[in-house]
Amino acid sequence: MRCFAISIVVLMLASRCEAITFEQLLESYGNLETVAGTGLIPDKAVSGWLPDMEGGLATDAELSRPHMTMADALGNLYIADKDAHAIRMVKPDGTIHTIAGTNFPGYSGDGPGVEIDLFAPNGLYTFPDGTTYILDLGNSLIRKWSPDGNVVTVVEDPSVISIGRGLWVSPDESLIYYSSGTEVRRWTEDSGVTVYASGFVALGNLAVDPADGELVVTDREGHGVYKVYENGTRDLIAGNESTTGGGSGFLATQTGLDEVRGIAFHPEGGYLLATHEGGQIWFVDDNERIHLLIDGDDKRGTHGGDGLPLTSPGKKISEARAVTFSTEGDIIVTENDAGFIRYVRANRAIGVSGDFNLDGLLDVEDINLLSIEVRNNTHKNSFDLNADSLVNDDDRQIWVDELKSTYFGDANLDGEFNSRDLVLIFQAGEFEDDVIGNSTWATGDWDGNSDFNSGDFVVAFQAGGYEVGQRAAAFSVPEPGMVTTVFLFLSLLISCRRLF
């Protein structure tokens, strides 16, 4: 269950002690590497994909003017391979797989991803669970790929989507922003497609600032980055609306950003920008100063720096189209008409401890992601909360008891385990149902096995948090008689349920 309220502003600044500096940013990352692409595609509007690339190493596969790459919580990368009319997935083992599109342009309706046609997919947005929204530019559609492999159409734009690049989807999937030429458009189920802001030159990508919930867009041909407000007004926050001036150490608004396209907010403050013609990745700190992070140019042949730190001299990238962060804080750069995906791994924990999807919150999404990691036995460092090189139930205990400061059984994560939580889980109707693996923390899966059964009640009531209030204010555990009463109540409720 994804929790999102447009009316609530999430202040990430309140959850971190101090915003990251440029020097700390450099210390946080390792060496640059190429994780996909060979750079041999001859020109624009040409597909370089061949059947024998399917399932092979991503570094041996051709990408055809890729426009966006994002990652899920398991480390899979999702690539909008625009001129090959497909979405690729690069798995953690380095192999590449088509998940949507037939490698030919067209429209064939919805269905299994590998059987439906796409037409120049120009953008995508991936959730930690792998759910990926696709900006199907040539068909003027926004479509949703689910981890079960199926694609459904979510948005049919009655107007043509013109050079759409940016795409952002709210955590509960009720709100979508996307760029279309000179306009930012917004979709909700109730209102459909509306124009949110207009008057730009040629938009690039967009993102929502986690510090205040406002939309931020890049205007590629306007050479500026803008914060856009509900009333349609906007403020310039980076770029001087030209291609020259300023530079590293200057104010972001004094610096020329040649065709700025990519934007990604760092979970500890500041944000990254990618310039297409400039071929560079910049970092803007919380003092609004800009710093050159990865140098490059607009020449398609520029490709270097693999195995070297970001501080090493020389130009390493070209024609940067997009920059994003993985759920572990790694930097992902989509660059070059010839097609490369570059990667810089974080060498320390990034963001708020326990905030695995890097949205600035400790919520149901995070405990669900941690439970998935425990079940998958992956032992990723970013999920290892007690630094014992293991990811197991001890880490779940730390997340619940120490980081969230609540109890097992607190389904709505309001800091208390009480009757409201019991009402919620039984309303969800997943107790000992016939569907395997369909339950989450919010629907009663407290032992982390993805099902809701009697074992979850054992875990919750043994933790001793029922009806004792907030953890910080709890002075004692329930009396044995109280626990017995609760178990009798639950037994009666469960028995009654089984009669129907």
Side-chain angles (χ1 to χ4, degrees), residues 228-248:
V228 183
Y229 303 100
E230 184 78 26
N231 62 6
T233 62
R234 59 181 183 260
D235 290 330
L236 180 71
I237 63 170
N240 60 11
E241 300 179 321
S242 74
T243 61
T244 60
S248 200

Side-chain angles (χ1 to χ4, degrees), residues 4 9 67 85 100 117 152 199 210-212 314-315 331 376 420 475:
F4 180 78
V9 175
H67 270 59
H85 313 287
D117 292 327
V152 297
D212 58 14
K315 297 184 184 299
I331 298 172
N376 289 341
R420 290 192 297 273
F475 296 101

Side-chain angles (χ1 to χ4, degrees), residues 53-226:
M53 295 175 182
E54 189 70 39
L57 289 176
T59 49
D60 292 336
E62 289 290 347
L63 298 175
S64 307
R65 233 173 15 134
H67 270 59
M68 173 61 75
T69 308
M70 293 189 72
D72 66 19
L74 296 179
N76 298 304
L77 301 181
Y78 299 78
I79 304 169
D81 197 5
K82 180 186 176 184
D83 286 351
H85 313 287
I87 305 299
R88 316 288 182 198
M89 174 196 287
V90 178
K91 294 184 177 181
D93 64 4
T95 59
I96 191 167
H97 308 265
T98 303
I99 62 169
T102 61
N103 301 306
F104 296 96
Y107 176 75
S108 57
D110 296 339
V114 294
E115 297 178 8
I116 62 103
D117 292 327
L118 300 173
F119 196 158
N122 213 19
L124 55 74
Y125 189 89
T126 298
F127 284 104
D129 69 355
T131 299
T132 296
Y133 279 73
I134 303 165
L135 187 58
D136 190 357
L137 175 66
N139 290 315
S140 291
L141 302 173
I142 295 175
R143 311 175 82 174
K144 176 182 175 180
W145 179 88
S146 298
D148 64 6
N150 288 312
V151 170
V152 297
T153 297
V154 177
V155 179
E156 297 183 35
D157 195 320
S159 304
V160 173
I161 300 179
S162 173
I163 320 178
R165 298 185 182 99
L167 178 64
W168 181 88
V169 185
S170 67
D172 67 350
E173 303 177 53
S174 66
L175 171 66
I176 297 175
Y177 291 113
Y178 59 100
S179 56
S180 176
T182 62
E183 296 178 342
V184 177
R185 295 178 185 172
R186 178 171 64 177
W187 173 90
T188 64
E189 189 171 1
D190 292 337
S191 301
V193 176
T194 57
V195 175
Y196 186 72
S198 60
F200 299 96
V201 183
L203 287 165
N205 293 320
L206 48 80
V208 167
D209 185 345
D212 58 14
E214 300 291 354
L215 182 67
V216 177
V217 305
T218 62
D219 190 347
R220 173 184 175 178
E221 294 186 14
H223 314 295
V225 183
Y226 302 88

Side-chain angles (χ1 to χ4, degrees), residues 356-375:
F356 302 118
N357 63 357
L358 301 180
D359 66 353
L361 297 171
L362 293 181
D363 57 15
V364 170
E365 281 283 292
D366 298 303
I367 186 62
N368 289 340
L369 288 172
L370 178 55
S371 297
I372 291 172
E373 292 298 318
V374 172
R375 292 196 299 272

